Amino acid sequence: MLRYITAPLVGALIGYCTNYIAVKMLFYPRKEIRIMGHRLPFTPGAIPKGKPRLARAIGNTVANELLTENDIYSKLISDEVENKIIEMITAKLDNSINTIGSNYADDAQLENIRKKLAYEITIQIITEIKKLDINSIIIENGGKAIKSKTQGTMLSMFVTDNLIASLSEPIGKEIERYINDNGEDKIKPIVESKISELSDKSVLEILNKYEISQDSINQIITSVYENVVSNNISTLLKTINISQLVEDKINQMEIAELEKIIMQVMKKELNTIVNLGAIIGLVIGIINIFI
């Protein structure tokens, strides 16, 4: 009776211990062991020895099977992510321009930017005014106004086109000279005041002032975001190189850390293998009794 009981129990113990040692030998020994200059077989363990190959295989699997370009693109343009992007950008646009600017520059830099902007806008306004040819406008429209006022009176006989031109031309030239000499001093303070006024408003307030609805803003953000993702996803993934990133990360890990991660993921499965060893040993022990 003792022989019938002992054989299955010994078989189960051997199967359990064998599989337990095999699982442990995946991670141990951590380093190569040498005796008299010769490497001891099975050292280091399977995972420490094959760590670079394992890292490369996992990196390629993640990049080519788990996180493909199409998978990442689909996730980036999903409603969930797009709505989150719209929410984040809208929250930023709801801040005043001064508040947004303060995140990227100090007060002195912002003031310098405002002054440069005011100067550029002022110069553009003066340039466009000069293009209008004020002298010709005054001669043409001034003549029409004078004729209209004097029409039906005795003065209409004396108000000729030459007279009007001789009176209007000096006025036009004087106005042009005044704009050249004083235009910047007169226009720039107004521009600076408007810039300061706008800087205290949020981007959303400014857009709403010009009747650009929130739906239109959302559509613009979505369109720009999808366009950026579509045009840059391939370049971005090539730059990041997910496969190399995962491989480098695993290679940088200590074996103990790698063992911890693997055990967290596969502890149940590895324990099942050990327990199966005991069951198989038990079955073999029972079969040996009859053999």
Side-chain angles (χ1 to χ4, degrees), residues 12-15 36 38 60 87 110 119 122 144 150 173 175 179 190 209 244 249 254 270 278:
L13 181 62
I14 292 173
M36 300 180 66
H38 298 282
N60 289 333
E87 181 183 333
L110 288 176
Y119 174 77
T122 300
K144 290 178 181 179
T150 60
K173 288 183 177 179
I175 292 175
I179 291 173
I190 299 173
K209 181 180 179 180
Q244 190 63 48
K249 186 67 177 178
E254 295 292 335
L270 293 176

Side-chain angles (χ1 to χ4, degrees), residues 124-190:
Q124 288 297 321
I125 292 173
I126 294 173
T127 301
E128 293 303 318
I129 290 174
K130 290 178 179 179
K131 289 179 180 180
L132 294 175
D133 192 2
I134 293 174
N135 191 30
S136 298
I137 292 173
I138 290 176
I139 292 174
E140 181 180 350
N141 291 283
K144 290 178 181 179
I146 292 173
K147 286 181 179 181
S148 176
K149 293 293 183 181
T150 60
Q151 188 175 10
T153 67
M154 291 182 62
L155 287 174
S156 62
M157 294 184 297
F158 303 100
V159 179
T160 63
D161 290 338
N162 289 335
L163 178 62
I164 292 172
S166 64
L167 293 174
S168 302
E169 188 173 355
I171 296 173
K173 288 183 177 179
E174 182 61 25
I175 292 175
E176 287 180 344
R177 184 190 63 78
Y178 184 84
I179 291 173
N180 286 332
D181 295 341
N182 304 286
E184 183 177 340
D185 294 335
K186 295 297 181 181
I187 296 174
K188 190 176 179 181
I190 299 173

Side-chain angles (χ1 to χ4, degrees), residues 23 54 83 94 130 140 149 153 192 201 207 230 289:
V23 169
L54 178 66
N83 290 336
D94 201 26
K130 290 178 179 179
E140 181 180 350
K149 293 293 183 181
T153 67
E192 288 178 338
K201 296 181 180 294
L207 293 175
S230 177
I289 292 174

Side-chain angles (χ1 to χ4, degrees), residues 197-214:
E197 182 182 329
L198 287 174
S199 297
D200 292 328
K201 296 181 180 294
S202 72
V203 177
L204 288 181
E205 285 181 288
I206 296 172
L207 293 175
N208 290 331
K209 181 180 179 180
Y210 292 98
E211 299 182 352
I212 300 177
S213 66
Q214 184 64 53

